[in-house]
Structures are given as structure tokens and as C-alpha cells.
Amino acid sequence: MNNEQGKSAVRELREALTECIHRCNHCFTGCLMEDDVKMMAECIRLDRDCIEVCAMALKFLYKGSRFQREVLMLCKNVCIVCGEECAKYPQMDHCQRSAEACRVAAEKIDAFLSAHAEAHAAKGSSTGMNC
């Protein structure tokens, strides 16, 4: 992966995480306005978790933390679970938009981590390092 591809992957991931935060926040607010809020309790909880972990992942990306891989893996898992929960409510537009944003964020995390793993492996093999 060259420098431009790396910058593009980071930019796409940041955009996807930002969109996920936005859509989950909208879903969270929309769920609170539903007639049966108790029915939406798990969706609300997961929206909050997803918002918080995506924000943390963005922070770790911006500062280039050595723990960004671990945080991104957690973020991916939360996005998947949140997206699955939101998808259970096809009649609610805010839930469907959140589910889609979560799916895209999880995909972008996968793409980013794969690209970085390949770059790291190539760098390690060219220097004869195994770690």
C-alpha cells in the first residue's frame, strides 16, 4: 500500500465512523420518541455503545495509537451487533439508516485493517523481521 492509498483508507474509515456516529445518534433519538420505548431499549443501548466506541476509534486513529487495531476490532464488533439490532426494525427509517451506517463502518474497518496488515507484513518481510 503506497502513501496515497494509506491516506485514502484512513480518510474513508474516518468518514464511515463519523457517519456511523451521526446515524446511531439519530437512531438513538428516534427510538426515544417511539411509542413503546421499552421495546426499543436494546437498540437504544447499542446505539449509545456504538456512538462511544466509534468516537474512541476516531481518537485512536487521529493520534496513531499503537492500540488502534484492538480498538478498531472492538468497534467493528459493536458496529456489527448494533447494526443487526437496528435491522430488526424495518418499519423505522432511523433504525434502517443506522443499520446501514454500522454495516459500512464494519466493512471499512475490515478494509483498513487488512490493508495495514498487508503493508506491515510486506515491511516485515523486506527487512527480515517476523514481528
Side-chain angles (χ1 to χ4, degrees):
M1 174 170 58
N2 68 36
N3 196 27
E4 275 307 308
Q5 290 170 322
K7 286 180 182 179
S8 178
V10 170
R11 184 176 53 252
E12 287 178 16
L13 179 54
R14 286 177 179 163
E15 288 171 1
L17 292 172
T18 301
E19 182 67 10
C20 192
I21 291 167
H22 172 73
R23 291 296 175 188
C24 285
N25 193 47
H26 185 259
C27 184
F28 171 81
T29 303
C31 287
L32 287 174
M33 291 192 218
E34 293 296 331
D35 292 333
D36 188 357
V37 175
K38 284 185 179 185
M39 177 184 80
M40 305 305 299
E42 186 64 8
C43 191
I44 292 166
R45 277 191 288 275
L46 287 167
D47 280 332
R48 287 183 62 202
D49 287 347
C50 200
I51 291 163
E52 290 174 16
V53 77
C54 285
M56 183 172 67
L58 277 171
K59 289 176 188 177
F60 276 61
L61 276 172
Y62 276 111
K63 68 181 184 174
S65 172
R66 65 189 256 186
F67 299 107
Q68 75 181 9
R69 182 181 181 348
E70 290 84 355
V71 171
L72 286 170
M73 290 301 299
L74 172 63
C75 185
K76 175 187 161 188
N77 291 335
V78 173
C79 285
I80 289 168
V81 174
C82 183
E84 288 171 353
E85 180 65 25
C86 289
K88 292 179 182 177
Y89 304 99
Q91 72 281 14
M92 297 176 191
D93 186 56
H94 55 83
C95 286
Q96 293 308 299
R97 289 177 186 242
S98 179
E100 176 63 13
C102 287
R103 183 190 61 74
V104 170
E107 288 174 0
K108 294 296 181 182
I109 291 168
D110 260 347
F112 177 84
L113 291 175
S114 293
H116 277 267
E118 289 173 14
H120 183 69
K123 184 178 178 183
S125 66
S126 68
T127 62
M129 297 173 58
N130 292 326
C131 56

